[in-house]
Amino acid sequence: EKWDANVGAMNAPDRYEKFIVPDGVKKISFERDSKLPNAGTFTIQREDHTIGNLLRMQLHQDHEVQFSGYKHPHPLDYHILVKVQTTNKSSPIMAMNGAIKDLTDEITSIRESFQAEVKKLREMQVDGAI
C-alpha cells in the first residue's frame, strides 16, 4: 500500500492564500463607525500582526488620532482589522494615509542606509581592508 504524504495536510489551506489577494477582493476597505464620530474600521487583506502593529504605532504618532488599535481575528483568517478614531480636524482615512506615507518614507530611508553600508563594506573588501 502506497502512503500519501499529503494526507496529514488535507485541511491545511494552500500557502499562497496567506499572501495573494483573491480576484474581486480589495486589499484595503473602510467602514465608518455608526456610533462614534470620526471613527471607522479598516479591513486589510492578507496581512498579520507585523503590519497591524506598525500601523497602530505610526497612527499613535499622529496628534489628531484619539484611538488606534488592531486585531487579527483568527489565525486562519488572513486579514486584520484596524480601528481608528480621530479629532474633528482629521478623519480616519486621512490619518491612515498619513501613517502609510510616513512608514513608506521611514522604510525607504532604512533601505537606503542599509544599501549604502553594504556598498561601503564591499568597497572595503575589494580594497583588501577586510
Side-chain angles (χ1 to χ4, degrees):
E1 183 174 335
K2 190 172 181 178
W3 183 70
D4 186 0
N6 292 324
V7 169
M10 280 193 302
N11 292 332
D14 292 325
R15 289 183 184 195
Y16 72 86
E17 289 183 18
K18 294 180 182 179
F19 309 105
I20 307 293
V21 178
D23 290 339
V25 176
K26 291 182 179 181
K27 175 70 175 177
I28 186 168
S29 59
F30 177 72
E31 185 177 335
R32 289 197 182 283
D33 192 308
S34 61
K35 296 178 183 176
L36 292 172
N38 298 321
T41 302
F42 294 89
T43 301
I44 305 175
Q45 297 294 331
R46 302 311 189 248
E47 297 297 347
D48 58 15
H49 293 287
T50 303
I51 296 298
N53 201 37
L54 278 169
L55 284 170
R56 178 184 65 85
M57 293 303 294
Q58 192 64 44
L59 285 161
H60 283 175
Q61 300 299 316
D62 186 339
H63 296 293
E64 303 302 324
V65 173
Q66 294 178 323
F67 173 83
S68 70
Y70 82 95
K71 68 179 178 178
H72 185 222
H74 189 276
L76 295 179
D77 287 339
Y78 304 126
H79 69 276
I80 57 172
L81 304 173
V82 181
K83 179 89 170 181
V84 181
Q85 183 178 12
T86 63
T87 66
N88 291 334
K89 295 178 184 176
S90 186
S91 72
I93 292 173
M94 289 172 56
M96 181 64 80
N97 285 338
I100 291 170
K101 183 192 177 311
D102 291 345
L103 284 170
T104 300
D105 292 347
E106 191 170 337
I107 290 168
T108 299
S109 174
I110 291 169
R111 183 183 67 233
E112 289 170 354
S113 296
F114 178 78
Q115 288 172 337
E117 291 300 317
V118 168
K119 184 179 177 183
K120 283 183 198 175
L121 181 62
R122 287 187 177 150
E123 289 170 355
M124 290 172 64
Q125 287 175 331
V126 169
D127 293 341
I130 299 181

